[in-house]
Amino acid sequence: MSFLADSLARVKPSATIAVTQKARELKEAGRDVIGLGAGEPDFDTPDNIKEAAIAAIRRGETKYPPVAGIAPLKKAVAEKFKRENRLDYKPEQVIVGTGGKQVLYNAFVATLNPGDEVLIPAPYWVSYPEMVALNGGESRFVECPIETGFKLTPEALDKAITKRTKWLMFNAPSNPSGAAYSAKELKALTDVLLKHPHVWVLTDDMYEHLLYTDAPFATIAEVEPKLYERTLTMNGVSKTYAMTGWRIGYGAGPKPLIDAMVMIQGQQTSGACTIAQWAATEALTGTQDFVPKFKRAFQERRDLVVSMLNQATGLKCPMPEGAFYVYPSCAGTIGKKAPSGNRIATDEDFCRELLEAEGVAVVHGSAFGLGPNFRISYATSAPVLEEACTRIQRFCNALN
Ligand SMILES: Cc1ncc(COP(=O)(O)O)c(C=O)c1O
């Protein structure tokens, strides 16, 4: 009998962290490896944000924060929702967590009973099903194939809802596919949700500012105000402001839900790092000048990667509309023989052989619930991406 909890049997470690770790180990062992697994911008946190943290330390802002978040940050979050998303949230409807990840986790702890279902469009961010499982819920996956641009359709949503559905876990622009939705597309989904009043929506808007379409970003509670009372809108500073290591995310929603999440956080972390909260306050209230600059750089890299991957034999790479990932299909390589002599039967084989032959670390699609595909994070410099794609082309063209 194991000393460890039974619930661990239901949970897998993060595949994206595993690939990043593997690439790091190979590099340390002297291999020439390009890691495209990690989902974090390569840019440094802007100076005004760093300075705000340093000033906070100097002022002695080094004590426990209020559990839900420091008042200036909650106010800045409420103003951000008003300014950018036309959503009215009072500061007491806001929770600040240790990354967006903790906000999601708190929401599941606060709401899931055994057997409750969470609808997760696939491909999905690796952590959703594991968080659901850890909290006794059941994930119900809705396949969103390449043919629909990896997007959830109203028909698929309607069909997947059961009496036990508690949440729709919605993420756009999507990690890993980059799929994004116009307000009109969202409205078609919210129309379905209006027919099912027991279903709440947890919308993960983490990549809001990395959207390359002409249509502006829209979020669920904005396009359908009738869903305001059953939507938790989650977002954070990690991706937009190159602040992954500061660990600040936030959410806003109906007060009873936020109160429950705050209660849980009070027994867990007592709130997110005070200094990082001051930095996040500056991120949301200070200059936004670098946001479009980051976005432009990502868009150029996306165009480069998509074009180069589509020149590799057996790969098909749709043009993603947002985030900093591409999610090409490697169906055309399945059944072929790699330089090692092994046959490629799955996307996991493809990624392992690619790493072995060319030293390029990418994450297999089966980890995100839809394949045969793989995910490349293009949040790295253009020369590195060009070299990585050249190696991928060489690898694919040599398969036979
Ligand atoms: C879709 C999505 N949601 C949430 C997160 C977590 O964000 P944070 O770093 O703020 O915890 C990530 C990070 O990779 C993500 O891709």
Side-chain angles (χ1 to χ4, degrees):
M1 195 147 125
S2 170
F3 182 67
L4 301 176
D6 295 346
S7 60
L8 284 191
R10 299 196 297 264
V11 184
K12 292 194 296 289
S14 160
T16 47
I17 292 176
V19 167
T20 309
Q21 180 59 23
K22 174 92 184 154
R24 197 177 293 138
E25 282 166 18
L26 287 172
K27 250 188 222 166
E28 280 165 10
R31 282 275 315 265
D32 168 24
V33 170
I34 303 177
L36 302 178
E40 67 177 347
D42 55 324
F43 305 116
D44 198 6
T45 305
D47 280 343
N48 63 312
I49 298 174
K50 290 183 183 172
E51 291 301 331
I54 294 165
I57 294 174
R58 295 228 162 90
R59 282 199 311 276
E61 307 274 8
T62 53
K63 305 283 195 257
Y64 286 125
V67 173
I70 59 171
L73 180 52
K74 289 200 302 179
K75 180 167 172 276
V77 168
E79 285 168 3
K80 175 259 179 274
F81 279 128
K82 185 70 186 163
R83 181 178 72 239
E84 296 187 341
N85 310 107
R86 292 149 295 278
L87 288 172
D88 285 307
Y89 288 117
K90 298 193 183 76
E92 57 267 32
Q93 288 178 275
V94 170
I95 180 170
V96 175
T98 302
K101 211 168 200 172
Q102 197 195 11
V103 174
L104 296 170
Y105 199 88
N106 284 340
F108 290 137
V109 177
T111 58
L112 291 183
N113 291 314
D116 283 347
E117 288 177 357
V118 178
L119 281 189
I120 305 182
Y124 47 75
W125 180 45
V126 290
S127 292
Y128 299 141
E130 311 306 327
M131 290 188 190
V132 170
L134 267 172
N135 289 297
E138 285 172 28
S139 295
R140 201 178 156 86
F141 302 115
V142 194
E143 271 204 15
C144 304
I146 198 165
E147 293 77 24
T148 62
F150 304 113
K151 289 189 200 183
L152 179 64
T153 62
E155 298 74 30
L157 172 63
D158 200 29
K159 227 168 103 194
I161 292 173
T162 73
K163 284 205 292 276
R164 296 194 303 167
T165 308
K166 198 139 200 180
W167 288 104
L168 165 64
M169 180 68 245
F170 189 78
N171 166 226
S174 152
N175 175 3
S177 73
Y181 297 72
S182 66
K184 193 165 160 234
E185 286 170 321
L186 281 186
K187 187 74 178 62
L189 296 175
T190 59
D191 284 350
V192 173
L193 293 167
L194 287 179
K195 293 195 307 183
H196 302 278
H198 64 293
V199 180
W200 284 49
V201 190
L202 209 174
T203 173
D204 177 342
D205 297 347
M206 213 65 183
Y207 295 94
E208 165 180 8
H209 288 287
L210 298 176
L211 180 67
Y212 314 114
T213 54
D214 292 334
F217 177 82
T219 189
I220 298 270
E222 175 192 10
V223 300
E224 183 43 88
K226 288 194 196 109
L227 288 179
Y228 178 87
E229 283 304 330
R230 45 184 172 115
T231 299
L232 175 62
T233 305
M234 185 280 251
N235 208 318
V237 294
S238 296
K239 317 284 176 174
T240 304
Y241 302 98
M243 290 179 71
T244 46
W246 298 77
R247 310 306 304 125
I248 298 292
Y250 52 84
K255 192 163 179 307
L257 171 63
I258 298 295
D259 286 348
M261 291 165 61
V262 172
M263 195 263 286
I264 288 155
Q265 186 156 285
Q267 299 296 7
Q268 203 180 31
T269 58
S270 300
C273 168
T274 306
I275 299 152
Q277 291 196 52
W278 282 103
T281 307
E282 172 63 19
L284 292 181
T285 58
T287 173
Q288 304 293 303
D289 285 359
F290 46 81
V291 176
K293 280 192 210 140
F294 286 174
K295 179 171 133 171
R296 220 170 302 123
F298 283 130
Q299 189 164 356
E300 281 167 20
R301 296 165 182 190
R302 174 196 70 158
D303 294 347
L304 168 78
V305 169
V306 170
S307 146
M308 287 190 76
L309 290 180
N310 278 323
Q311 291 164 45
T313 313
L315 299 188
K316 196 168 117 196
C317 186
M319 183 65 88
E321 295 179 323
F324 43 61
Y325 308 100
V326 290
Y327 200 61
S329 160
C330 57
T333 68
I334 302 296
K336 292 192 176 171
K337 212 191 296 165
S340 64
N342 296 329
R343 223 166 258 294
I344 295 175
T346 63
D347 51 25
E348 201 163 354
D349 293 344
F350 176 89
C351 297
R352 195 180 42 251
E353 295 295 335
L354 174 65
L355 181 58
E356 186 53 43
E358 291 286 355
V360 179
V362 299
V363 189
H364 49 281
S366 45
F368 305 98
L370 192 100
N373 288 66
F374 61 96
R375 189 193 80 172
I376 285 181
S377 164
Y378 57 80
T380 192
S381 75
V384 172
L385 290 169
E386 206 166 334
E387 169 63 18
C389 290
T390 303
R391 294 187 193 186
I392 294 173
Q393 287 177 351
R394 192 161 61 212
F395 174 74
C396 289
N397 296 347
L399 298 174
N400 58 59

